[in-house]
Amino acid sequence: CMGMLSLQVSCLCGSAPCLLCGCCPSAKNSTISRLLFTFFLFLGTLVSIIMIIPGVEKELHKLPGFCEGSGSILGVQTHVNCDSFLGHKAVYRMGFAMAAFFFLFAIIMVCVRSSKDPRAAVQNGFWFFKFLVLVGITVGAFYIPDGAFTSVWFYFGVVGSFLFILIQLILLIDFAHSWSQLWLRNAGESNAKGWYAALCIVTFIFYAASIAAIVLLYVYYTKPEGCTEGKVLVSINLILCLILSAVSILPKIQEAQPHSGLLQASLITLYTFYVTWSALANVPIQTCNPTLLVRNSTSLAMATQPLTTWWDAPSIVGLIIFILCTLFISVRSSDHPQVNKLMLTEDSGAGAGAEAAAVESGLHRAYDNEQDGVSYNYTFFHLCLLLAALYIMMTLTNWYRPDESLQMLTSPWTAVWVKISSSWAGLLLYFWTLVAPLVLPDRDFS
């Protein structure tokens, strides 16, 4: 019994490979550590989702001081009825706890070069104590007095979400390039026209979905008289996406980047109109935003509707993209050197020798592939998870914030312009990937 207890304690306090207990095929220590940190993020996200469910939200009244006597504003003690956004407050505090947790590790892991650094043991081990630290920060976050916390933390969430949307764009561009290269390589090696047909079909589906999205945005988020902002934003993004699609197939671009084409442009176009949809869902004008009627109505007919529900369509899609993106960050190194430099990761061949040795020896276990050098930048990885925590915090709260009277959640124009500007920044980034080989011919953009 003592031996078994010692083994369990060793697995909880030891390195990431130990947690596998020999059950997995040879896996990299670096990958397992990233997955476990991502699991902590997903666990916090699950807790946030549970807290914002209406039935659970009502139980938050039992937390001492969480609603009644909501702190002070400008030195004046307030006594407000915060029933309508208890779940909103809980998600903000959970988001703060996760952000603080990853910021702590980002600071600790500055300039770690290999697993021989003593701090690497903290990155790849002591998972039980890390969990206790996360729980402790979370409990402490719920004792933060309201005051200006919610208003100030809203803007932290806005900035972090903007940066995380750009990270999503970078990964999406890389994924689209890799996808196109793989299928074109298969078509060239097998001389099969089926690969080209599949490429055309997928591209057509993406463009068809984008066209359908544009039509629906014009129908539901604009009116013949009024809603000028929605018309202008959709039209601008439509024009920009048409320009990028045309640029991607120009002869000079094709000559500089043979794998560039409409598949990448179609995927970027579809994502751009998802971001546009998400932005228009925050327009604070009821006649121009059908989702606002349900989430923010004070009429008697809607009095029973919870104001903090997040499960509208844009938020659900955002949650799915968040999950895929964070997993992508955790498990993949890009085949493209430029993306690896941007994301501060090594190429996917890192640790191949150790993996081959593990397979040849018949061992099915995790191994340390970072003795000669880390395969990803520890600090940058934690900063990515920090931004992901802020992004999911804003997604679950629909980018809403309490109004000045602290009686109702409102959707500010800030959210609209941040999302739209992030879509423009993403399109500009994709445009740069197309023209960079022409502008800087002496650099390697392979």
Side-chain angles (χ1 to χ4, degrees):
C1 291
M2 291 299 294
M4 181 64 68
L5 179 61
S6 175
L7 178 62
Q8 291 174 347
V9 172
S10 174
C11 277
L12 286 174
C13 303
S15 63
C18 182
L19 290 176
L20 289 182
C21 298
C23 297
C24 293
S26 54
K28 299 174 183 177
N29 181 67
S30 60
T31 302
I32 299 166
S33 295
R34 282 181 284 182
L35 285 174
L36 289 172
F37 274 112
T38 303
F39 170 75
F40 281 1
L41 177 62
F42 287 167
L43 183 63
T45 302
L46 179 61
V47 172
S48 298
I49 293 174
I50 293 173
M51 285 182 171
I52 210 168
I53 294 175
V56 178
E57 183 180 7
K58 295 178 181 178
E59 297 299 317
L60 295 177
H61 275 288
K62 297 179 181 179
L63 292 178
F66 193 57
C67 182
E68 185 178 357
S70 300
S72 62
I73 299 179
L74 300 178
V76 179
Q77 189 70 21
T78 60
H79 297 278
V80 299
N81 178 16
C82 62
D83 296 357
S84 60
F85 54 92
L86 275 175
H88 183 282
K89 292 173 59 176
V91 171
Y92 265 46
R93 279 155 177 75
M94 194 68 218
F96 174 83
M98 291 191 293
F101 176 78
F102 292 120
F103 181 75
L104 173 64
F105 278 91
I107 295 298
I108 294 174
M109 298 301 159
V110 171
C111 295
V112 174
R113 303 301 184 189
S114 75
S115 60
K116 297 176 183 177
D117 191 306
R119 290 174 293 169
V122 179
Q123 171 77 5
N124 299 316
F126 301 99
W127 296 102
F128 177 71
F129 295 106
K130 290 176 185 174
F131 179 75
L132 291 182
V133 169
L134 179 58
V135 171
I137 295 175
T138 302
V139 172
F142 277 83
Y143 284 93
I144 298 176
D146 276 339
F149 171 77
T150 302
S151 300
V152 173
W153 192 240
F154 170 84
Y155 289 103
F156 275 91
V158 165
V159 175
S161 299
F162 174 85
L163 296 176
F164 189 72
I165 291 174
L166 290 185
I167 291 176
Q168 289 180 342
L169 253 300
I170 294 170
L171 297 178
L172 187 66
I173 292 171
D174 175 49
F175 172 74
H177 279 299
S178 300
W179 187 358
S180 178
Q181 286 185 15
L182 176 62
W183 282 17
L184 290 175
R185 188 186 309 123
N186 291 339
E189 293 175 353
S190 62
N191 293 321
K193 296 182 179 179
W195 290 106
Y196 291 109
L199 204 63
C200 293
I201 291 172
V202 172
T203 301
F204 173 79
I205 291 174
F206 285 158
Y207 273 124
S210 300
I211 293 172
I214 294 168
V215 172
L216 292 175
L217 289 177
Y218 276 121
V219 170
Y220 288 102
Y221 290 90
T222 65
K223 299 293 180 184
E225 300 83 15
C227 301
T228 305
E229 297 87 354
K231 296 175 185 176
V232 171
L233 295 178
V234 176
S235 299
I236 289 176
N237 278 356
L238 172 59
I239 295 172
L240 293 177
C241 288
L242 288 175
I243 292 174
L244 283 181
S245 297
V247 170
S248 67
I249 56 175
L250 289 177
K252 285 189 175 295
I253 298 295
Q254 290 290 307
E255 183 181 348
Q257 294 199 72
H259 294 104
S260 174
L262 290 177
L263 175 64
Q264 297 95 312
S266 64
L267 187 56
I268 298 302
T269 297
L270 184 59
Y271 182 81
T272 297
F273 282 103
Y274 155 70
V275 177
T276 307
W277 174 35
S278 179
L280 295 181
N282 278 107
V283 171
I285 303 174
Q286 292 186 349
T287 55
C288 303
N289 183 0
T291 58
L292 192 70
L293 297 175
V294 174
R295 294 184 301 192
N296 207 29
S297 174
T298 55
S299 64
L300 292 177
M302 293 294 181
T304 59
Q305 292 288 343
L307 296 179
T308 54
T309 51
W310 63 271
W311 45 83
D312 60 345
S315 297
I316 292 175
V317 175
L319 178 63
I320 295 172
I321 294 175
F322 155 78
I323 293 173
L324 295 177
C325 183
T326 48
L327 287 175
F328 200 74
I329 292 172
S330 300
V331 302
R332 187 175 185 273
S333 293
S334 175
D335 296 329
H336 300 280
Q338 299 301 326
V339 175
N340 282 326
K341 289 178 183 178
L342 189 61
M343 299 300 292
L344 301 182
T345 58
E346 299 297 331
D347 58 47
S348 55
E355 183 176 4
V359 173
E360 289 178 2
S361 63
L363 298 176
H364 296 287
R365 58 180 177 80
Y367 63 91
D368 183 0
N369 64 312
E370 298 183 302
Q371 292 179 346
D372 297 327
V374 295
S375 61
Y376 64 100
N377 186 293
Y378 289 174
T379 294
F380 184 78
F381 171 71
H382 288 298
L383 290 178
C384 285
L385 293 190
L386 185 157
L387 298 178
L390 295 176
Y391 173 81
I392 198 61
M393 177 188 78
M394 300 304 293
T395 298
L396 295 182
T397 57
N398 289 302
W399 295 63
Y400 279 31
R401 67 180 180 190
D403 60 7
E404 289 76 7
S405 63
L406 298 181
Q407 297 295 324
M408 179 176 293
L409 296 174
T410 59
S411 181
W413 277 105
T414 304
V416 178
W417 292 113
V418 166
K419 292 179 181 180
I420 286 296
S421 60
S422 68
S423 72
W424 293 340
L427 292 174
L428 181 62
L429 179 63
Y430 177 60
F431 178 76
W432 172 248
T433 67
L434 295 176
V435 302
L438 299 178
V439 178
L440 302 172
D442 297 332
R443 294 190 59 183
D444 178 21
F445 289 95
S446 60

